[in-house]
C-alpha cells in the first residue's frame, strides 16, 4: 500500500486553507479574531505530542530521537520567545505574533509527503523537495516568509516609479488622496520640517521625509470617538482644532477598523469665549483634543502619542495628497511562505547553496 504521509503530517495540511483564509481576511480587515487561534493551538500541541510518542515508542534510533528533541527545542524555545520579543518592540502585531508562535509549535520538524512522480513508473517524489541540514521546518517557513515579504517594497517602488513618484519613501509608501485616508489601512508618514506643500514633489520629499507617523487605525478611533468624519475636519480645521469643540458625550472609539467607522458625524456649531469657531489658527493647550482622547481611552491607540495625532491631523487638514505606508500584513507572506515550504522547501537554503555558502 502506498504511504502518503503520517497521520500528524496529513493533519498539518489543514493549516494551508486556514492560513489562506486568514491572509485574505488580514488584507480586507487587518483583523484576526482571537478565537481563531485556540483550535489551531490545540491542534499544534496534540500533533507535537503525537510525533513525540511515535519517535520514542517506535523503532527510531537514539540519534533520531536526539535530533527530534533538538529540533523541537530550537523551534519552540527560540522562535516563540523571538516572536514575543518582536511584539514587545512593536515589530509584530498581536495576530502576527500568534501566527509566528503557532508555526513554531506546528512545524518543529520537516513533514514528508510521498507523491507519485510524473512520468516515472513506480517511483515517487518526496515533498518538500529541499530540506536544510538543521531540519527545523518552522525556520524554513520563516525564511520563506521574509524572502516573499521582501518582494513587496520592490513592487511598491516599481509602482511608484511608473507613476512618477520617485523619492526615498517610494519603497515603503504610496501617495493617496488625503480625503480618502480613512478608507485605507497603514500609517500616515509625517515630515520633519513643517507641512509639505507639494507632496508630489520628489525634491521636497527628499528634504522633508522622516519616520514620524500616525497609524490610520488610531485616526479612525479618534474620529469615531469625536463623532466626526474626515471631510468635516478638512472643511473647517480651525473649528475642530479647539478642544472646546469636543463633544460632551464621546463615542466608543472601536478598534480602528474601516468596518467599525460607522458613527454619523455630529457637526453642531460650538460656541466658545471667542465666538463661533473659525479656521483661523490659534494656540491651545491641547490642540484637537488629542491628549483628552488618549486619556479617555487609557492612551492605547497603536502607540500613538498626542503629538503624532496632532501632526497627522494637521497634515490631513492641509494637504491634498499624502503618503501612507500601507505595509503588508505579515500573515500574507507567511501563507505564501507556507505553500513554498510544503512544496519546494527552503528558498534561502537554495540561494545560499547557489553562491557556495550552504
Amino acid at each position: 500500500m502506498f504511504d502518503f504521509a503520517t497521520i500528524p503530517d496529513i493533519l498539518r495540511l489543514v493549516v494551508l486553507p486556514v492560513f489562506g483564509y486568514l491572509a485574505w481576511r488580514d488584507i480586507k480587515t487587518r483583523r484576526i479574531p482571537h478565537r481563531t487561534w485556540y483550535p489551531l493551538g490545540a491542534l499544534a500541541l496534540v500533533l507535537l505530542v503525537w510525533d513525540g510518542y511515535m519517535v520514542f515508542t517506535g523503532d527510531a534510533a537514539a540519534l533520531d530521537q536526539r535530533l527530534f528533541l533538538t529540533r523541537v527545542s530550537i523551534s519552540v524555545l527560540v522562535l516563540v520567545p523571538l516572536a514575543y520579543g518582536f511584539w514587545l518592540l512593536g515589530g509584530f502585531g498581536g495576530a502576527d505574533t500568534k501566527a509566528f508562535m503557532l508555526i513554531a509549535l506546528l512545524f518543529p520538524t520537516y513533514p514528508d509527503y510521498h507523491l507519485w512522480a510524473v512520468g516515472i513508473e513506480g517511483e515517487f517524489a518526496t515533498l518538500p523537495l529541499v530540506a536544510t541540514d538543521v531540519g527545523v521546518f518552522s525556520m524554513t517557513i520563516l525564511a520563506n516568509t521574509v524572502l516573499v515579504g521582501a518582494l513587496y517594497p520592490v513592487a511598491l517602488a516599481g509602482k511608484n516609479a511608473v507613476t512618477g513618484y520617485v523619492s526615498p519613501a517610494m519603497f515603503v509608501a504610496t501617495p493617496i488622496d488625503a480625503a480618502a485616508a480613512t478608507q485605507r489601512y497603514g500609517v500616515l508618514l509625517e515630515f520633519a520640517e513643517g507641512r509639505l506643500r507639494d507632496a508630489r514633489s520628489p525634491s521636497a520629499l527628499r528634504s522633508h521625509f522622516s519616520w514620524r507617523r500616525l497609524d490610520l487605525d488610531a485616526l479612525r478611533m479618534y474620529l469615531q470617538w469625536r463623532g466626526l468624519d474626515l471631510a468635516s475636519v478638512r472643511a473647517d480645521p480651525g473649528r475642530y482644532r479647539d478642544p472646546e469643540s469636543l463633544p460632551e458625550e464621546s463615542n466608543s472609539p472601536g478598534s480602528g477598523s474601516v468596518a467599525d467607522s460607522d458613527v454619523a458625524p455630529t457637526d453642531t456649531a460650538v460656541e466658545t469665549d471667542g465666538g463661533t469657531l473659525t479656521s483661523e489658527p490659534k494656540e491651545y493647550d491641547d490642540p484637537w483634543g488629542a491628549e483628552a482622547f488618549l486619556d479617555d481611552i487609557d492612551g492605547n491607540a497603536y502607540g500613538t502619542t498626542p503629538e503624532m495625532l496632532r501632526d497627522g491631523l494637521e497634515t490631513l487638514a492641509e494637504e491634498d495628497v499624502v503618503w501612507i505606508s500601507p505595509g503588508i500584513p505579515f500573515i500574507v507572506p507567511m501563507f505564501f511562505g507556507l505553500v513554498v515550504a510544503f512544496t519546494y522547501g527552503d528558498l534561502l537554503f537554495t540561494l545560499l547553496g547557489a553562491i557556495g555558502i550552504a
Side-chain angles (χ1 to χ4, degrees), residues 110-111 113 125-131 340-346 350:
Y110 270 76
Y113 301 101
T126 299
L127 300 180
L129 297 174
V130 177
V340 174
F342 268 99
T343 53
Y344 179 78
D346 197 294
T350 300

Side-chain angles (χ1 to χ4, degrees), residues 229-261:
D229 57 20
L230 185 56
S232 299
V233 172
R234 287 173 55 81
D236 193 358
R239 171 180 172 185
Y240 299 110
R241 192 178 287 116
D242 189 336
E244 290 295 323
S245 67
L246 294 176
E248 294 184 4
E249 295 292 333
S250 60
N251 299 298
S252 170
S255 67
S257 171
V258 172
D260 288 344
S261 302

Side-chain angles (χ1 to χ4, degrees), residues 1-25:
M1 181 178 179
F2 180 62
D3 184 14
F4 170 67
T6 65
I7 295 178
D9 284 348
I10 292 174
L11 292 176
R12 286 184 171 94
L13 291 174
V14 171
V15 174
L16 288 175
V18 171
F19 264 75
Y21 167 74
L22 294 180
W24 173 83
R25 184 182 177 89

Side-chain angles (χ1 to χ4, degrees), residues 102-119:
L102 180 68
I103 291 297
L105 290 172
L106 266 174
F107 303 108
T109 62
Y110 270 76
D112 286 327
Y113 301 101
H114 305 289
L115 303 175
W116 292 110
V118 177

Side-chain angles (χ1 to χ4, degrees), residues 21-88:
Y21 167 74
L22 294 180
W24 173 83
R25 184 182 177 89
D26 211 7
I27 291 173
K28 300 296 289 185
T29 68
R30 300 294 172 93
R31 299 292 184 275
I32 304 295
H34 293 296
R35 63 181 180 274
T36 302
W37 306 108
Y38 299 135
L40 292 174
L43 176 65
L45 293 174
V46 168
L47 295 182
L48 184 59
V49 172
W50 195 336
D51 278 339
Y53 176 80
M54 291 192 302
V55 168
F56 288 99
T57 62
D59 56 359
L63 177 60
D64 292 332
Q65 293 174 352
R66 288 196 295 271
L67 285 173
F68 175 79
L69 285 177
T70 300
R71 288 162 179 165
V72 170
S73 298
I74 292 173
S75 187
V76 176
L77 300 181
V78 175
L79 295 186
V80 169
L82 182 64
Y84 183 70
F86 273 115
W87 176 76
L88 287 177

Side-chain angles (χ1 to χ4, degrees), residues 156-298:
L156 186 62
K159 171 182 174 292
N160 286 332
V162 168
T163 53
Y165 295 98
V166 180
S167 79
M170 66 188 292
F171 288 92
V172 295
T174 188
I176 66 165
D177 183 351
T182 53
Q183 300 304 310
R184 303 289 292 269
Y185 287 106
V187 292
L188 173 70
L189 297 186
E190 297 294 340
F191 298 91
E193 302 172 15
R195 303 270 65 83
L196 186 65
R197 296 302 175 187
D198 184 7
R200 296 176 182 267
S201 168
S203 60
L205 282 168
R206 278 193 288 271
S207 63
H208 290 84
F209 176 71
S210 76
W211 284 106
R212 298 185 65 189
R213 59 190 190 172
L214 170 65
D215 194 304
L216 294 179
D217 284 0
L219 171 66
R220 280 184 286 271
M221 291 174 65
Y222 168 80
L223 294 175
Q224 175 128 332
W225 178 79
R226 290 197 63 166
L228 286 176
D229 57 20
L230 185 56
S232 299
V233 172
R234 287 173 55 81
D236 193 358
R239 171 180 172 185
Y240 299 110
R241 192 178 287 116
D242 189 336
E244 290 295 323
S245 67
L246 294 176
E248 294 184 4
E249 295 292 333
S250 60
N251 299 298
S252 170
S255 67
S257 171
V258 172
D260 288 344
S261 302
D262 56 2
V263 174
T266 53
D267 256 351
T268 306
V270 179
E271 297 291 333
T272 67
D273 292 340
T276 303
L277 299 181
T278 69
S279 59
E280 292 298 321
K282 296 179 181 179
E283 294 294 329
Y284 303 107
D285 291 335
D286 183 20
W288 300 99
E291 189 170 348
F293 161 66
L294 293 172
D295 287 344
D296 190 50
I297 65 169
D298 298 324

Side-chain angles (χ1 to χ4, degrees), residues 292-323:
F293 161 66
L294 293 172
D295 287 344
D296 190 50
I297 65 169
D298 298 324
N300 184 17
Y302 304 98
T304 302
T305 65
E307 292 75 18
M308 292 166 64
L309 180 55
R310 291 169 189 143
D311 287 346
L313 288 165
E314 294 290 348
T315 298
L316 291 168
E318 296 181 14
E319 307 297 339
D320 293 326
V321 177
V322 295
W323 283 74

